Amino acid sequence: MEPSELKRSKDSPNSDESTRRSSFPDEVLERVLSLLKSHRDRSSVSLVCKDWYNAERWSRTHVFIGNCYSVSPEIVARRFPKIRSVTLKGKPRFSDFNLVPENWGADIHAWLVVFAAKYPFLEELRLKRMAISDESLEFLAVSFPNFKALSLLSCDGFSTNGLAAIATHCKNLTELDIQENGIDDKGGSWLSCFPESFTSLEVLNFANLSSDINFDALERLVGRCKSMRVLKLNRSVSLEQLQRLLVNAPQLAELGTGSFSEELTFRQYVELESALSNCQNMHTLYGLWDAKGIYLPALYPVCTHLTFLNLSYAALRSDELAKLLAHCPRLKRLWVLDTVEDKGLEAVGLNCPLLEELRVFPADPFDEEIIHGVTEAGFVAVSFGCPRLQYVLYFCRQMTNAAVATIVQNCPDFTHFRLCIMNPGQPDYITNEPMDEAFGAVVKTCTKLQRLSVSGRLTDLTFEYIGRYAKNLETLSVAFAGSSDWGMQCVMGGCSKLRKLEIRDCPFGNAALLSGLEKYESMRSLWMSACNVTMNGCRLLAREMPRLNVEVMKEDGSDDSQADKVYVYRSIAGPRRDAPPSVLTL
Amino acid sequence: MERRVNYENDLNLMATELRLGLPGCGDDEPQRKTNPSIRNNKRTAPEISEVSSSESSSSITMYGSDDQDSPPPAKEQVVGWPPIRSYRKNCLQSSKRNEVEGMGMYVKVSVDGAPYLRKIDLKVYRSYPQLLKALENMFKLTIGAYSKREGYNGSDYAPTYEDKDGDWMLVGDVPWEMFISSCKRLRIMKGSEARGLGCV
């Protein structure tokens, strides 16, 4: 405590503050503040006064950085001396859909170098959309002796060699969570790098990888890690192997199966069912790759206490889903493929009254000949049966204004409403009108709405509605929509809590861009691509708002005056120095 | 990237319309075709894109009002749309390849001396070792390891298959993909007959 006391007396020489301090010792304040987990609460606390700012920064152990370029690692280390856990997000979200050029940036290495010096006791690192190399992973593995948890989501730049380094060196590892990354899968030998003496793993997720791993090594690893509660296997693990793992790990709370489709003898099936029924703590089920309907009954014993079921890699038919859901009364979160069709969604409405989250992914997103999938009818059916719905992600090929109005009337508690009508600019297929009234209904009825993704043919009216009613909106995604600058101006003027705005292929130009001048500093970021913004507009923005980074990504062969892709974000670290040539900072 | 977009009067459907024209015909946004990153979105299975490009101007005009007749449509795929992560796209494509080639590939398996035959789905396996292990499990026997010179010498059983020409072949000689496409049924031979195969 002594060094911190010294620091504090240097910071507050004011005698008034010292009398205040004696009536409320800093140690107490720090102790109280250390109970605060939410980073937003902590931000608020740090704004109260200098004492509180200092107490907060000394008690913070976890830092969340939503945009890695908004701040530099040196600034973070200076402000927060006792960090044990870091969450970092890098590239703009549209990089998931190939809209961001390669080598854009968001490399973790500079951060790791600073952390190695300032946070030698770092325990957790969670990265989303960052670039991370094998060298960085090796550096991480050897630089932090207490390192416990690594989570990589939607990252790229590394291979299984990097994972081998983690497995080899991190003696205290409790969590290795590799999700949906662009990973170079060079083989499964990394798993065998966990030493035989290693027993601390609680979370292991390697579903992302496709290579075969050494099953014996995995079986021994699972067998000796008695605290393991999350195990997500990859596709190469067979049903028979799954059964052998489960026999040794009945304590699992979350399971991602491997491939669910091989032939089983009757005895093998019975053994699998028995192993699953012993898993009394299991509340989450993933994987089920290529699941064949006939083996799903083996899951029934687990289904009764399931709260999260992710079937988004299992192309089930409606009857198969219906049979399964009849056993899942406690389900709160469900992800499915649209192969289940509207009939399958009717079964959701009938069987899962506690449902809070539904995601329906398209099995054939790029084939426009397909006329299957889900329609507005399925969504409406779910809304009648599941009034507690808060989060929906719905990919479909047709929708009507009336259906959406009914849906939100049944489910007014939506916080996240992401509707993707897959044909860009498609109107209400019955009335042929724009889908303005649909989203109008959403924002008028769902007062708690935080996140909205719109689609279909939309005029400026949609954005008038959003600006007028969506007062809690924080994230908005817009594509192929709007009629003029007025649309975006309504949003910038009306949505006071807006933090992230991403727009593509809309007729919004410089007037729209500049209408948000006052707003961008209170936002995390703005993305505009394939709109009507010009380089001059961007330059003007950059000139007027020096604390914003205004970056333009040019495409080959495009007009010099057009700003093809614009990414604007606030930053206290100044313009970045690691941008590739295709990214211009204005 | 030349955009002459008129938003004075109406909704300007043209900007958002998905059309079937070849690049260069009409005033559609040409840069989508030249955008290098579009290749990430193209379907990899050749047979699928052939099907779609041979369809004549079928019903996919979004708006009844605009009947632009186009020559044989090359379906333009918009980069990054629908918004699905690459990881999921890749998973779907590999599952789809299985489906396109037929729902499962069940072949009969007979074992000399067994009272009845079984059926297995060859699509489920991705290599010879996986298949052989499954057969060993299913029939409770040992087939052993394959070698180019000796076949399955050293074991009482030898896995064979009938190919498209009606000939009985030893499992393991040809690459897996070739085997999958030519295997019509399996027979696990036993005893002296099997050992005889190893000496050929």
Side-chain angles (χ1 to χ4, degrees):
Chain A
M1 280 300 250
E2 279 149 41
S4 61
E5 277 170 353
L6 278 172
K7 187 105 183 44
R8 244 165 285 148
S9 58
K10 266 195 284 190
D11 281 346
S12 334
N14 193 317
S15 59
D16 282 349
E17 296 202 30
S18 63
T19 38
R20 238 184 286 136
R21 232 188 312 154
S22 61
S23 61
F24 195 55
D26 287 315
E27 295 83 14
V28 173
L29 184 57
E30 268 184 42
R31 185 62 67 87
V32 167
L33 293 181
S34 66
L35 299 171
L36 271 182
K37 300 297 173 207
S38 149
H39 64 274
R40 281 199 208 175
D41 287 343
R42 284 184 160 272
S43 293
S44 310
V45 158
S46 64
L47 293 173
V48 169
C49 66
K50 230 178 177 171
D51 272 353
W52 283 47
Y53 177 87
N54 277 324
E56 192 280 312
R57 62 186 268 263
W58 280 95
S59 65
R60 196 188 288 217
T61 55
H62 170 244
V63 68
F64 169 85
I65 299 162
N67 174 3
C68 64
Y69 287 117
S70 64
V71 72
S72 75
E74 291 82 6
I75 294 174
V76 173
R78 230 186 350 254
R79 178 170 171 190
F80 301 115
K82 287 201 181 163
I83 296 296
R84 296 275 167 97
S85 164
V86 177
T87 303
L88 258 175
K89 295 189 184 178
K91 300 181 198 176
R93 194 177 77 94
F94 278 176
S95 72
D96 284 348
F97 319 128
N98 299 328
L99 286 178
V100 172
E102 300 269 331
N103 308 321
W104 181 83
D107 194 305
I108 189 66
H109 202 81
W111 290 83
L112 290 178
V113 168
V114 172
F115 290 162
K118 304 289 184 185
Y119 303 139
F121 299 114
L122 190 68
E123 293 175 3
E124 297 182 3
L125 189 63
R126 296 175 199 286
L127 304 180
K128 187 170 183 181
R129 293 191 201 102
M130 299 285 296
I132 178 163
S133 66
D134 285 342
E135 289 70 38
S136 295
L137 283 171
E138 279 172 41
F139 181 76
L140 170 66
V142 301
S143 306
F144 303 100
N146 272 10
F147 196 72
K148 295 202 170 113
L150 178 65
S151 168
L152 301 175
L153 171 57
S154 227
C155 298
D156 62 0
F158 62 108
S159 78
T160 40
N161 292 342
L163 299 183
I166 299 285
T168 307
H169 297 290
C170 298
K171 306 270 179 285
N172 296 313
L173 201 67
T174 58
E175 178 175 338
L176 182 60
D177 182 18
I178 310 295
Q179 271 190 72
E180 299 192 16
N181 299 292
I183 184 175
D184 181 10
D185 192 340
K186 294 188 170 158
S189 57
W190 63 272
L191 190 91
S192 312
C193 292
F194 284 109
E196 289 296 320
S197 56
F198 173 75
T199 58
S200 50
L201 208 56
E202 296 170 23
V203 174
L204 177 61
N205 175 5
F206 62 99
N208 198 174
L209 306 171
S210 45
S211 305
D212 294 356
I213 39 97
N214 180 330
F215 181 71
D216 289 332
L218 176 64
E219 197 175 13
R220 285 197 305 275
L221 178 67
V222 173
R224 60 181 189 265
C225 293
K226 293 296 176 203
S227 304
M228 193 172 281
R229 43 184 180 82
V230 176
L231 178 62
K232 294 180 197 163
L233 307 167
N234 74 357
R235 224 165 172 167
S236 77
V237 177
S238 71
L239 275 179
E240 202 221 329
Q241 289 171 332
L242 172 65
Q243 186 264 336
R244 281 162 61 183
L245 290 173
L246 288 177
V247 160
N248 280 329
Q251 77 283 2
L252 283 178
E254 296 185 27
L255 173 68
T257 72
S259 173
F260 214 78
S261 67
E262 84 211 38
E263 294 260 332
L264 288 180
T265 64
F266 181 68
R267 189 174 62 87
Q268 285 170 323
Y269 172 86
V270 165
E271 281 175 353
L272 176 64
E273 192 185 20
S274 160
L276 281 165
S277 65
N278 280 338
C279 298
Q280 289 299 313
N281 291 337
M282 199 171 287
H283 55 68
T284 294
L285 200 55
Y286 294 86
L288 299 163
W289 306 93
D290 314 312
K292 292 245 169 66
I294 43 162
Y295 295 138
L296 293 179
L299 299 171
Y300 291 170
V302 167
C303 287
T304 39
H305 29 266
L306 271 191
T307 54
F308 181 13
L309 180 57
N310 183 344
L311 297 168
S312 62
Y313 294 103
L316 294 186
R317 294 188 318 256
S318 52
D319 55 307
E320 292 169 331
L321 179 67
K323 268 192 266 188
L324 185 59
L325 289 182
H327 298 259
C328 306
R330 302 226 184 103
L331 219 52
K332 288 195 178 161
R333 300 173 67 194
L334 176 64
W335 296 21
V336 292
L337 279 177
D338 66 357
T339 51
V340 303
E341 298 187 354
D342 290 334
K343 260 189 122 326
L345 294 181
E346 280 171 34
V348 175
L350 285 172
N351 290 296
C352 307
L354 301 180
L355 201 69
E356 294 173 4
E357 175 178 330
L358 174 68
R359 301 196 196 199
V360 182
F361 294 94
D364 272 309
F366 304 112
D367 196 336
E368 282 150 36
E369 311 298 322
I370 300 279
I371 49 170
H372 304 304
V374 294
T375 71
E376 76 282 6
F379 199 169
V380 170
V382 173
S383 73
F384 274 112
C386 309
R388 296 192 197 189
L389 265 187
Q390 293 167 22
Y391 192 121
V392 77
L393 169 61
Y394 199 82
F395 284 86
C396 59
R397 287 188 170 83
Q398 63 187 48
M399 187 52 63
T400 66
N401 289 308
V404 176
T406 305
I407 288 160
V408 293
Q409 200 170 25
N410 293 336
C411 306
D413 294 334
F414 275 119
T415 54
H416 296 69
F417 192 91
R418 302 166 65 188
L419 176 62
C420 181
I421 303 167
M422 287 192 275
N423 297 317
Q426 182 172 300
D428 179 320
Y429 80 100
I430 291 183
T431 65
N432 224 37
E433 303 213 324
M435 295 296 296
D436 296 332
E437 293 307 318
F439 293 103
V442 172
V443 293
K444 283 178 205 165
T445 316
C446 306
T447 52
K448 301 182 215 166
L449 197 69
Q450 292 168 25
R451 181 172 181 182
L452 179 65
S453 299
V454 299
S455 59
R457 193 203 308 175
L458 301 174
T459 70
D460 284 342
L461 184 55
T462 297
F463 302 102
E464 279 182 36
Y465 284 142
I466 293 174
R468 201 181 319 156
Y469 295 104
K471 291 307 176 187
N472 284 319
L473 194 65
E474 296 179 13
T475 306
L476 179 62
S477 300
V478 186
F480 306 102
S483 335
S484 73
D485 287 334
W486 173 239
M488 186 170 161
Q489 286 167 335
C490 289
V491 171
M492 299 313 299
C495 298
S496 46
K497 292 199 185 169
L498 195 64
R499 286 178 35 248
K500 284 178 281 186
L501 179 56
E502 42 186 33
I503 302 173
R504 61 165 295 179
D505 294 274
C506 296
F508 303 139
N510 294 335
L513 175 71
L514 295 168
S515 70
L517 216 58
E518 313 286 309
K519 193 126 184 62
Y520 298 133
E521 273 186 3
S522 63
M523 286 171 58
R524 186 187 294 174
S525 65
L526 165 75
W527 169 281
M528 285 179 80
S529 62
C531 297
N532 287 342
V533 175
T534 68
M535 293 297 286
N536 284 335
C538 296
R539 283 190 196 105
L540 186 56
L541 177 62
R543 209 168 33 240
E544 293 296 311
M545 306 296 296
R547 280 192 303 236
L548 294 179
N549 281 357
V550 180
E551 295 178 8
V552 175
M553 286 154 264
K554 298 283 293 168
E555 277 161 34
D556 296 334
S558 77
D559 191 330
D560 278 345
S561 64
Q562 286 301 115
D564 307 318
K565 294 175 182 165
V566 182
Y567 185 50
V568 179
Y569 57 93
R570 64 180 174 190
S571 175
I572 55 175
R576 60 184 179 116
R577 277 154 289 173
D578 62 351
S582 57
V583 177
L584 309 167
T585 306
L586 300 178
Chain B
M1 171 172 116
E2 224 206 329
R3 279 175 173 269
R4 282 172 284 110
V5 188
N6 180 347
Y7 292 102
E8 285 161 19
N9 304 318
D10 62 348
L11 302 170
N12 194 357
L13 305 176
M14 305 244 283
T16 53
E17 184 178 75
L18 191 68
R19 294 214 239 127
L20 302 180
L22 282 170
C25 73
D27 54 346
D28 207 356
E29 287 98 344
Q31 72 283 359
R32 292 226 182 92
K33 264 300 196 208
T34 56
N35 187 330
S37 51
I38 199 175
R39 85 179 97 83
N40 294 332
N41 244 17
K42 287 245 188 305
R43 297 177 211 121
T44 51
E47 56 266 28
I48 300 175
S49 44
E50 274 165 20
V51 164
S52 59
S53 57
S54 67
E55 298 264 350
S56 52
S57 41
S58 51
S59 54
I60 326 274
T61 21
M62 297 297 119
Y63 312 107
S65 49
D66 189 12
D67 293 326
Q68 182 138 40
D69 244 70
S70 333
K75 289 254 168 70
E76 273 193 43
Q77 282 197 14
V78 177
V79 178
W81 189 265
I84 296 171
R85 282 194 184 144
S86 319
Y87 172 70
R88 182 173 283 283
K89 266 191 289 186
N90 295 338
C91 288
L92 291 178
Q93 271 170 3
S94 63
S95 306
K96 202 175 178 193
R97 236 174 280 130
N98 291 339
E99 277 179 38
V100 163
E101 286 152 35
M103 298 293 290
M105 220 197 120
Y106 283 90
V107 296
K108 291 184 188 170
V109 188
S110 60
V111 176
D112 291 355
Y116 51 81
L117 279 61
R118 301 294 305 272
K119 261 200 162 167
I120 59 167
D121 179 2
L122 288 180
K123 275 277 164 295
V124 162
Y125 309 103
R126 282 174 291 133
S127 66
Y128 284 118
Q130 278 188 9
L131 170 65
L132 295 177
K133 187 135 94 67
L135 292 173
E136 287 179 333
N137 273 348
M138 190 181 251
F139 297 104
K140 299 284 165 288
L141 42 78
T142 313
I143 295 174
Y146 166 82
S147 80
K148 232 180 162 78
R149 281 189 73 230
E150 312 270 307
Y152 292 88
N153 224 4
S155 140
D156 275 343
Y157 294 95
T160 64
Y161 69 101
E162 184 182 2
D163 73 358
K164 287 196 175 131
D165 302 325
D167 297 319
W168 285 93
M169 319 287 295
L170 185 68
V171 168
D173 285 335
V174 301
W176 175 255
E177 294 298 331
M178 197 188 291
F179 163 70
I180 286 274
S181 59
S182 57
C183 171
K184 284 173 51 201
R185 54 184 296 168
L186 285 162
R187 175 185 166 199
I188 302 183
M189 294 169 91
K190 186 188 158 109
S192 52
E193 248 188 291
R195 282 192 285 277
L197 269 178
C199 302
V200 164

